[in-house]
Amino acid sequence: MNPLRSLILAAARNGTIRRLVATAPVSRDVVRRFVAGETTADAVAVTRRLVQDGLTVTLDYLGEDTTDTAQAERTVQAYLDLLDRLHAEGLADHAEVSVKLSAVGQMLDEDLALANAKRICQAAEAAGTTVTLDMEDHTTTDSTLRVLAELRRTWPWVGAVLQTYLHRTLDDAKRLSAEGSRVRLCKGAYKEPETVAFADKTEVDKSYVRCVNALLAGDGYPMFATHDPRLVRIVDERAEAHGRKPGSFEHQMLYGIRPDEQLRLAQQGHTVRVYVPFGEEWYGYLMRRMAERPANTTFFLRALATRG
Ligand SMILES: Cc1cc2nc3c(=O)[nH]c(=O)nc-3n(C[C@H](O)[C@H](O)[C@H](O)COP(=O)(O)OP(=O)(O)OC[C@H]3O[C@@H](n4cnc5c(N)ncnc54)[C@H](O)[C@@H]3O)c2cc1C
């Protein structure tokens, strides 16, 4: 792993650094570039702005690795509140939610996570929108796909996420490419052992392209989540080769990353969905974004230095 990436991920686990960053006033501004804010109102305001710009949205309430039921319950309530607000504000047509099963109790008990995810799916159905289950580290993949299969028995629109750094993913992509199946394809954001994942970036990219073809060849609705300009181009070329019309697949990017490219793709007639995180637990998310791209870290440190 890149040494800077390891350093930042280590900082993410360091309590002192965490407190320093979380309480520095300037953090607010920097965090706001990648995170909508701490409250539901912040999330709704950012969603409205993005929708006005012709984009669609998936909202993630930040909070993961929950190890107590009370915290899992707070997360469920945050989603129920958010879905209510999206419906009330007329935004549910353009905004769905992304849920991490670890935030609703997967580490405590898979059945608890399933029961909590069902409550969120029910609320999404009532609001007139959909849910995508984020994918976390490889030890949770089978459990998450089991929960997905169970949820899809009632709500076939529940979206899956597949990570192309995992050796297993092409098989999963073929299995999940049937009609109506919503699948987000991403490279993968966790530190994984070589026994299960490609270590080499080029291999991860090649795996991405193989999965693009598998998903486009099927009858499902693929959602291509990447900021990588080369892969965005390949997705569009392959979509055309497979006879896919705009609207039968979508591009996805993270809030604050390549915003001009998001608008450009939308102006070309593509569906573009922006992944918008919000909530008080923004620290771990922010550190993962920093670790992915040194330029983001430079931006952060420069902002701290100029205000210091
Ligand atoms: C919508 C969405 C949902 C996601 N959901 C999950 C999930 O459920 N589980 C999971 O494990 N991961 C998820 N991820 C994260 C994903 O797995 C990657 O870690 C992350 O997207 C970085 O990979 P990349 O494909 O963008 O390419 P990278 O390999 O990080 O970058 C490739 C190229 O993209 C361009 N680029 C990247 N970042 C920037 C930037 N800040 N500014 C300008 N250019 C840039 C550069 O040209 C760079 O060389 C999600 C990502 C997105 C976009």
Side-chain angles (χ1 to χ4, degrees):
M1 184 183 271
N2 169 323
L4 183 59
R5 184 159 182 229
S6 300
L7 186 74
I8 297 165
L9 289 175
R13 290 189 299 273
N14 179 303
T16 310
I17 296 180
R18 184 187 187 105
R19 268 190 304 280
L20 255 174
V21 173
T23 54
V26 65
S27 294
R28 270 185 67 87
D29 302 347
V30 179
V31 173
R32 284 289 175 118
R33 177 175 152 175
F34 299 106
V35 176
E38 295 196 343
T39 66
T40 306
D42 294 331
V44 169
V46 166
T47 299
R48 188 179 303 106
R49 188 165 54 69
L50 292 168
V51 168
Q52 277 165 0
D53 284 345
L55 301 163
T56 61
V57 171
T58 185
L59 285 146
D60 167 35
Y61 177 70
L62 294 167
E64 50 200 273
D65 300 347
T66 301
T67 47
D68 71 281
T69 46
Q71 178 58 30
E73 183 57 30
R74 277 195 292 280
T75 299
V76 174
Q77 289 302 331
Y79 275 107
L80 302 187
D81 181 37
L82 172 67
L83 286 161
D84 243 19
R85 293 286 291 276
L86 290 174
H87 177 63
E89 308 251 348
L91 291 166
D93 273 357
H94 296 95
E96 63 139 29
V97 295
S98 284
V99 177
K100 283 189 176 54
L101 289 180
S102 73
V104 295
Q106 190 179 32
M107 285 164 75
L108 296 163
D109 173 13
E110 186 176 306
D111 286 341
L112 172 68
L114 172 62
N116 281 337
K118 281 183 175 174
R119 292 163 65 200
I120 296 172
C121 288
Q122 243 154 21
E125 183 177 40
T129 188
T130 53
V131 176
T132 296
L133 297 184
D134 279 353
M135 192 57 88
E136 301 176 68
D137 76 80
H138 81 277
T139 63
T140 64
T141 308
D142 284 323
S143 161
T144 300
L145 292 179
R146 269 195 304 273
V147 170
L148 173 88
E150 190 54 38
L151 294 172
R152 279 188 172 177
R153 284 150 56 98
T154 311
W155 300 283
W157 42 253
V158 176
V161 177
L162 297 178
Q163 301 151 315
T164 68
Y165 61 19
L166 294 184
H167 300 149
R168 62 178 285 168
T169 294
L170 181 59
D171 288 340
D172 288 332
K174 287 179 182 162
R175 217 165 35 77
L176 289 173
S177 65
E179 194 177 344
S181 171
R182 297 169 64 247
V183 178
R184 175 194 301 157
L185 191 67
C186 65
K187 291 185 186 179
Y190 297 80
K191 188 171 185 242
E192 299 288 14
E194 287 189 32
T195 45
V196 298
F198 299 111
D200 180 34
K201 250 180 107 41
T202 316
E203 289 304 319
V204 178
D205 291 357
K206 283 192 201 158
S207 165
Y208 198 103
V209 176
R210 287 194 292 273
C211 294
V212 165
N213 280 314
L215 291 173
L216 288 171
D219 297 315
Y221 181 81
M223 307 182 280
F224 298 109
T226 180
H227 312 98
D228 191 329
R230 207 164 65 93
L231 288 179
V232 169
R233 226 175 17 251
I234 290 173
V235 163
D236 286 347
E237 280 165 17
R238 298 312 302 153
E240 206 176 318
H242 282 277
R244 290 281 192 145
K245 300 270 172 288
S248 69
F249 69 98
E250 69 186 41
H251 289 283
Q252 297 193 343
M253 293 191 190
L254 301 176
Y255 180 59
I257 300 190
R258 306 199 70 208
D260 295 344
E261 176 67 0
Q262 296 170 13
L263 291 174
R264 188 190 69 82
L265 287 166
Q267 278 154 14
Q268 278 187 352
H270 286 295
T271 302
V272 179
R273 195 172 297 278
V274 184
Y275 184 103
V276 178
F278 76 103
E280 287 169 22
E281 295 289 324
W282 48 261
Y283 184 80
Y285 175 87
L286 185 74
M287 287 297 137
R288 277 205 298 281
R289 299 290 78 81
M290 298 287 162
E292 263 160 24
R293 195 167 160 83
N296 290 340
T297 316
T298 314
F299 168 82
F300 186 59
L301 294 176
R302 198 182 301 129
L304 279 176
T306 50
R307 298 286 186 89

